[in-house]
Amino acid sequence: AAWKPFYLELVKVEPKKRKNFLRELIIDEPPAYRPGEACIYSDLGFIMLKEIIEQITNTPFEEFLIDSVYGPLNLTNICFNPLQTNHLTSIVPTEDDRYFRQTLLQGYVHDMAAAMFGGVAGHAGLFSNARDIGILMYTLINNGSYGNTAVLDADQIEIFNKRHYYGNRRGLGFDKPVKGRKKQSNVSSNSSDSSFGHSGFTGTYTWADPENELVFVFLSNRVHPDGQNRQISTTAIRQKIHSHIYHVISTAGTN
């Protein structure tokens, strides 16, 4: 499944037991496809990925990210639970939640399952600004290095950026352009086939194009004041801005 409202069950469980309880729920969830047949973007796999990383590294997930990625790249505005280090006025509100938490969400994760784990999860909860996201994406198109700092192997990036399933545009870790351009709705039609990115549920969007050395970061809010606001999707504003950037680049040398 791409998503399930597990949080409705988790609220009934003692906080210390929620992690094990959710792990069992995900393990017992029947797969939508047989292994190797197809792949859909799913929160469930990324929830489990965090648990796997913590077991392999024997380190809390956020601490591992700070030590291995954020710290070496000098990223100072990317974190979980930003209210622990930032003032509320520096963080825009997300949604006026009147269906679960009954409050205005600001500086705390929107995703309900991630909220059940204190805001730190493998599928949601990360806050940042455009600068830090841009550095991360440039690091990925530069084979895992930024300046003189290397944090990833090029082979690892290639594996996660590759389409592994016929008829599915996604890579293991990233969204990819729609092949054939007939349904080019997720990204500018000018983006190269090697490009990759991700769009977040609440309206965030970033895309990197190695062939054109272009990184696009769009931070907005699709669910404000609530989830009925669909203007970002209906206007396709992110894709239009992305296409305009390509247009400016292509015409810059002719002026």
Side-chain angles (χ1 to χ4, degrees):
W3 177 85
K4 296 216 52 172
F6 288 134
Y7 69 95
L8 296 175
E9 297 296 325
L10 291 173
V11 294
K12 308 172 187 176
V13 179
E14 184 181 338
K16 292 183 179 180
K17 297 181 180 181
R18 285 174 180 169
K19 182 181 292 187
N20 291 335
F21 184 75
L22 179 59
R23 184 186 298 121
E24 294 303 317
L25 288 177
I26 293 175
I27 291 174
D28 292 340
E29 180 68 18
Y33 301 95
R34 293 181 180 179
E37 281 187 347
C39 177
I40 60 174
Y41 178 83
S42 173
D43 284 349
L44 309 189
F46 286 98
I47 290 173
M48 293 299 292
L49 182 60
K50 169 186 174 288
E51 303 302 313
I52 293 170
I53 290 173
E54 290 187 332
Q55 288 194 23
I56 292 175
T57 63
N58 195 31
T59 306
F61 187 53
E62 186 170 24
E63 183 179 325
F64 169 75
L65 291 174
I66 292 172
D67 292 343
S68 59
V69 181
Y70 305 154
L73 293 178
N74 193 30
L75 305 183
T76 57
N77 289 283
I78 185 168
C79 64
F80 296 94
N81 294 317
L83 289 182
Q84 295 178 359
T85 55
N86 293 279
H87 196 273
L88 189 66
T89 56
S90 66
I91 306 168
V92 298
T94 305
E95 181 183 16
D96 189 10
D97 179 357
R98 295 301 159 190
Y99 52 87
F100 181 48
R101 281 164 279 186
Q102 307 299 321
T103 188
L104 176 67
L105 301 178
Q106 186 171 4
Y108 195 62
V109 62
H110 178 266
D111 182 90
M112 290 76 80
M116 292 292 95
F117 298 101
V120 180
H123 68 297
L126 197 63
F127 287 76
S128 185
N129 62 5
R131 172 194 176 272
D132 283 9
I133 295 175
I135 290 176
L136 276 177
M137 299 304 280
Y138 271 115
T139 300
L140 293 171
I141 66 174
N142 198 39
N143 296 319
S145 297
Y146 186 78
N148 296 321
T149 303
V151 296
L152 290 169
D153 293 332
D155 291 345
Q156 295 173 330
I157 297 172
E158 183 179 358
I159 290 173
F160 276 80
N161 188 29
K162 180 181 178 181
R163 298 183 184 92
H164 291 267
Y165 299 95
Y166 176 79
N168 189 299
R169 72 170 190 259
R170 296 184 182 276
L172 293 180
F174 300 104
D175 200 357
K176 298 282 292 175
V178 177
K179 299 188 76 172
R181 312 293 181 181
K182 293 181 179 180
K183 295 182 179 180
Q184 192 67 46
S185 60
N186 66 324
V187 68
S188 169
S189 59
N190 301 109
S191 61
S192 70
D193 192 58
S194 64
S195 68
F196 55 91
H198 183 70
S199 58
F201 179 82
T202 57
T204 55
Y205 182 89
T206 184
W207 205 270
D209 190 338
E211 292 184 26
N212 292 286
E213 297 184 348
L214 173 65
V215 166
F216 174 48
V217 180
F218 182 99
L219 299 180
S220 185
N221 195 347
R222 185 187 68 81
V223 294
H224 191 77
D226 56 46
Q228 299 304 311
N229 182 1
R230 303 185 183 278
Q231 292 186 62
I232 287 180
S233 299
T234 57
T235 62
I237 186 64
R238 296 176 293 190
Q239 295 89 326
K240 290 176 180 177
I241 295 175
H242 199 193
S243 293
H244 185 69
I245 294 172
Y246 277 103
H247 173 71
V248 171
I249 292 174
S250 65
T251 58
T254 61
N255 295 331

